[in-house]
Amino acid sequence: MIQEGRVTSMEEVFMGGYQVKEPQIVDALLPDLQEEVININLVQKQTDAGEKSRFKAVVAVGNRDGFIGLGSGKAGQVRNAIEKAAASARLNIIPVRRGCGSWECGCGKPHSVPFEIDGKTGGVRIVVVPGPRGLGLVASEVAKIILGLSGVKDCWTRSYGSTRTVPSFAYAVFDALKQTYNLITPSDWVK
Ligand SMILES: [Zn+2]
Protein backbone atom coordinates (compact mmCIF):
# COMPACT_ATOMS: atom_id res chain seq x y z
CA MET A 1 0.00 0.00 0.00
CA ILE A 2 2.94 2.30 0.68
CA GLN A 3 4.56 1.49 -2.66
CA GLU A 4 1.27 2.20 -4.37
CA GLY A 5 1.16 5.53 -2.58
CA ARG A 6 -2.12 4.71 -0.87
CA VAL A 7 -0.56 5.17 2.55
CA THR A 8 1.86 8.06 2.91
CA SER A 9 2.08 8.71 6.64
CA MET A 10 2.09 6.92 9.96
CA GLU A 11 -1.10 8.82 10.86
CA GLU A 12 -2.87 7.13 7.94
CA VAL A 13 -1.65 3.73 9.11
CA PHE A 14 -3.35 4.24 12.47
CA MET A 15 -6.44 5.96 11.10
CA GLY A 16 -6.94 3.18 8.58
CA GLY A 17 -6.53 0.59 11.30
CA TYR A 18 -3.72 -1.10 9.37
CA GLN A 19 -1.22 -3.29 11.12
CA VAL A 20 2.47 -2.68 10.54
CA LYS A 21 4.02 -6.04 9.71
CA GLU A 22 7.51 -4.97 8.66
CA PRO A 23 9.85 -2.72 10.65
CA GLN A 24 11.11 -1.09 7.43
CA ILE A 25 7.66 0.43 6.87
CA VAL A 26 8.08 2.47 10.05
CA ASP A 27 11.47 3.77 8.89
CA ALA A 28 10.00 4.70 5.50
CA LEU A 29 7.12 6.63 7.08
CA LEU A 30 9.10 8.16 9.95
CA PRO A 31 12.52 9.04 8.51
CA ASP A 32 13.53 10.94 11.69
CA LEU A 33 13.13 7.88 13.88
CA GLN A 34 15.71 7.63 16.68
CA GLU A 35 16.70 4.53 18.60
CA GLU A 36 17.84 4.13 22.23
CA VAL A 37 18.95 0.98 24.02
CA ILE A 38 17.12 1.01 27.36
CA ASN A 39 18.46 -2.15 28.96
CA ILE A 40 20.54 -5.27 28.35
CA ASN A 41 20.30 -8.30 30.60
CA LEU A 42 22.19 -11.56 30.67
CA VAL A 43 19.66 -14.38 30.86
CA GLN A 44 20.96 -17.76 32.05
CA LYS A 45 18.95 -20.78 31.11
CA GLN A 46 19.45 -24.37 32.24
CA THR A 47 19.22 -26.82 29.35
CA ASP A 48 20.08 -30.53 28.89
CA ALA A 49 23.38 -29.47 27.38
CA GLY A 50 24.23 -27.32 30.41
CA GLU A 51 23.87 -23.63 31.07
CA LYS A 52 23.06 -21.40 28.15
CA SER A 53 23.53 -17.63 28.23
CA ARG A 54 21.48 -15.29 26.19
CA PHE A 55 21.11 -11.54 26.16
CA LYS A 56 17.83 -9.73 26.44
CA ALA A 57 17.67 -6.19 25.11
CA VAL A 58 14.98 -3.55 25.46
CA VAL A 59 15.00 -0.81 22.82
CA ALA A 60 12.86 2.31 22.40
CA VAL A 61 12.28 4.13 19.11
CA GLY A 62 10.62 7.49 18.58
CA ASN A 63 10.55 10.52 16.31
CA ARG A 64 10.36 13.10 19.17
CA ASP A 65 7.12 14.21 17.57
CA GLY A 66 4.23 11.99 18.60
CA PHE A 67 5.36 8.43 17.95
CA ILE A 68 6.95 5.96 20.36
CA GLY A 69 7.68 2.25 20.25
CA LEU A 70 9.18 -0.16 22.76
CA GLY A 71 10.31 -3.72 22.14
CA SER A 72 12.52 -6.47 23.45
CA GLY A 73 14.59 -9.21 21.86
CA LYS A 74 16.72 -12.15 22.96
CA ALA A 75 19.80 -13.59 21.26
CA GLY A 76 23.13 -15.21 21.97
CA GLN A 77 24.95 -12.01 21.03
CA VAL A 78 24.27 -8.53 22.36
CA ARG A 79 24.22 -7.00 18.88
CA ASN A 80 21.58 -9.48 17.65
CA ALA A 81 19.45 -8.98 20.76
CA ILE A 82 19.48 -5.20 20.13
CA GLU A 83 18.56 -5.70 16.48
CA LYS A 84 15.63 -7.93 17.39
CA ALA A 85 14.47 -5.49 20.07
CA ALA A 86 14.75 -2.55 17.65
CA ALA A 87 12.63 -4.39 15.06
CA SER A 88 10.05 -5.29 17.70
CA ALA A 89 9.97 -1.66 18.94
CA ARG A 90 9.11 -0.52 15.40
CA LEU A 91 6.27 -3.03 15.16
CA ASN A 92 4.94 -1.82 18.51
CA ILE A 93 4.96 1.84 17.57
CA ILE A 94 2.00 3.92 18.82
CA PRO A 95 0.86 7.52 18.42
CA VAL A 96 1.15 9.73 21.49
CA ARG A 97 -1.31 12.55 21.96
CA ARG A 98 0.34 15.60 23.43
CA GLY A 99 -1.17 18.73 24.81
CA CYS A 100 -0.96 21.35 27.51
CA GLY A 101 -2.83 19.76 30.35
CA SER A 102 -1.15 22.05 32.84
CA TRP A 103 -3.49 24.45 34.64
CA GLU A 104 -0.50 26.62 35.55
CA CYS A 105 0.46 26.99 31.91
CA GLY A 106 -2.61 26.94 29.69
CA CYS A 107 -0.65 27.82 26.54
CA GLY A 108 -2.54 25.22 24.51
CA LYS A 109 0.61 24.02 22.75
CA PRO A 110 1.46 20.30 22.58
CA HIS A 111 4.52 20.39 24.86
CA SER A 112 3.23 18.07 27.59
CA VAL A 113 0.58 15.41 28.04
CA PRO A 114 -3.07 16.46 27.64
CA PHE A 115 -4.08 15.02 31.02
CA GLU A 116 -2.70 12.88 33.81
CA ILE A 117 -1.85 9.38 32.61
CA ASP A 118 -1.09 6.24 34.50
CA GLY A 119 0.82 3.14 33.40
CA LYS A 120 1.50 -0.22 34.99
CA THR A 121 3.70 -3.19 34.14
CA GLY A 122 4.88 -5.93 36.45
CA GLY A 123 5.24 -4.40 39.90
CA VAL A 124 5.83 -0.89 38.61
CA ARG A 125 3.41 2.00 38.29
CA ILE A 126 4.11 5.44 36.89
CA VAL A 127 1.92 8.53 36.83
CA VAL A 128 2.74 11.25 34.31
CA VAL A 129 1.39 14.67 35.28
CA PRO A 130 1.16 17.62 32.83
CA GLY A 131 3.69 20.36 33.56
CA PRO A 132 4.16 24.00 32.49
CA ARG A 133 6.35 25.00 29.54
CA GLY A 134 10.04 25.11 30.35
CA LEU A 135 9.76 22.66 33.24
CA GLY A 136 11.56 19.85 31.42
CA LEU A 137 11.09 16.17 32.20
CA VAL A 138 11.02 15.63 35.94
CA ALA A 139 11.57 11.90 35.71
CA SER A 140 14.11 9.12 36.13
CA GLU A 141 16.71 8.56 33.41
CA VAL A 142 14.75 5.76 31.70
CA ALA A 143 11.46 7.68 31.77
CA LYS A 144 13.25 10.76 30.40
CA ILE A 145 14.53 8.80 27.40
CA ILE A 146 11.12 7.35 26.55
CA LEU A 147 9.11 10.53 27.17
CA GLY A 148 11.69 12.52 25.18
CA LEU A 149 11.53 10.13 22.22
CA SER A 150 7.73 10.44 22.22
CA GLY A 151 7.89 14.23 21.98
CA VAL A 152 6.71 15.09 25.49
CA LYS A 153 8.92 17.96 26.73
CA ASP A 154 7.51 19.01 30.09
CA CYS A 155 5.97 16.84 32.79
CA TRP A 156 6.19 15.60 36.34
CA THR A 157 6.23 11.91 37.17
CA ARG A 158 5.55 9.82 40.24
CA SER A 159 6.49 6.17 40.37
CA TYR A 160 5.69 3.31 42.70
CA GLY A 161 6.86 -0.27 43.19
CA SER A 162 10.07 -1.90 41.96
CA THR A 163 11.14 1.05 39.83
CA ARG A 164 14.71 -0.22 39.63
CA THR A 165 13.54 -3.07 37.40
CA VAL A 166 14.42 -1.17 34.25
CA PRO A 167 12.46 -3.25 31.66
CA SER A 168 9.23 -3.17 33.72
CA PHE A 169 9.68 0.52 34.38
CA ALA A 170 10.18 1.23 30.67
CA TYR A 171 7.05 -0.75 29.77
CA ALA A 172 5.09 1.10 32.47
CA VAL A 173 6.03 4.45 30.86
CA PHE A 174 5.05 3.07 27.45
CA ASP A 175 1.75 1.84 28.89
CA ALA A 176 1.07 5.32 30.32
CA LEU A 177 1.71 6.94 26.92
CA LYS A 178 -0.81 4.52 25.34
CA GLN A 179 -3.45 6.07 27.61
CA THR A 180 -3.19 9.40 25.80
CA TYR A 181 -5.31 7.92 23.00
CA ASN A 182 -7.29 5.38 24.94
CA LEU A 183 -10.22 7.59 25.74
CA ILE A 184 -10.74 9.17 22.35
CA THR A 185 -11.54 8.01 18.84
CA PRO A 186 -8.95 7.99 16.02
CA SER A 187 -10.64 10.99 14.38
CA ASP A 188 -9.65 13.13 17.37
CA TRP A 189 -5.94 12.65 17.01
CA VAL A 190 -5.48 13.86 13.46
CA LYS A 191 -5.99 17.39 14.72
ZN1 LIG B 1 1.39 24.89 28.13
Side-chain angles (χ1 to χ4, degrees):
M1 303 244 287
I2 289 166
Q3 276 167 354
E4 290 168 21
R6 284 160 67 195
V7 172
T8 55
S9 73
M10 210 60 209
E11 283 80 2
E12 286 173 58
V13 170
F14 284 99
M15 275 173 56
Y18 306 120
Q19 248 199 310
V20 179
K21 291 194 175 119
E22 291 161 44
Q24 295 89 327
I25 291 175
V26 178
D27 289 300
L29 295 177
L30 299 175
D32 297 329
L33 203 68
Q34 293 173 19
E35 202 175 291
E36 293 271 2
V37 178
I38 300 293
N39 193 60
I40 293 168
N41 261 354
L42 181 63
V43 189
Q44 305 274 19
K45 199 176 142 195
Q46 209 64 43
T47 66
D48 294 340
E51 212 167 61
K52 203 179 159 197
S53 326
R54 279 158 77 77
F55 294 94
K56 189 185 174 196
V58 177
V59 170
V61 295
N63 68 342
R64 299 194 179 274
D65 194 18
F67 286 99
I68 185 78
L70 191 69
S72 56
K74 273 188 213 166
Q77 286 186 315
V78 173
R79 186 165 41 91
N80 297 346
I82 291 173
E83 266 171 33
K84 278 189 189 172
S88 143
R90 283 166 170 79
L91 297 180
N92 288 331
I93 206 154
I94 54 159
V96 174
R97 186 184 179 206
R98 290 157 301 154
C100 173
S102 168
W103 56 269
E104 303 158 88
C105 182
C107 71
K109 299 216 165 70
H111 62 94
S112 187
V113 285
F115 37 75
E116 189 173 303
I117 48 174
D118 197 313
K120 238 194 256 182
T121 299
V124 187
R125 181 177 163 226
I126 185 163
V127 180
V128 182
V129 181
R133 261 174 107 180
L135 175 74
L137 299 169
V138 184
S140 72
E141 213 42 54
V142 169
K144 261 185 197 168
I145 294 172
I146 296 172
L147 291 165
L149 282 173
S150 80
V152 173
K153 292 185 182 76
D154 307 295
C155 69
W156 279 290
T157 56
R158 292 195 301 267
S159 51
Y160 310 89
S162 34
T163 51
R164 271 184 277 176
T165 315
V166 173
S168 296
F169 188 68
Y171 276 98
V173 178
F174 185 56
D175 183 55
L177 289 172
K178 276 183 196 167
Q179 310 303 319
T180 60
Y181 273 115
N182 253 8
L183 299 171
I184 51 166
T185 58
S187 64
D188 282 329
W189 64 259
V190 287
K191 286 168 194 159

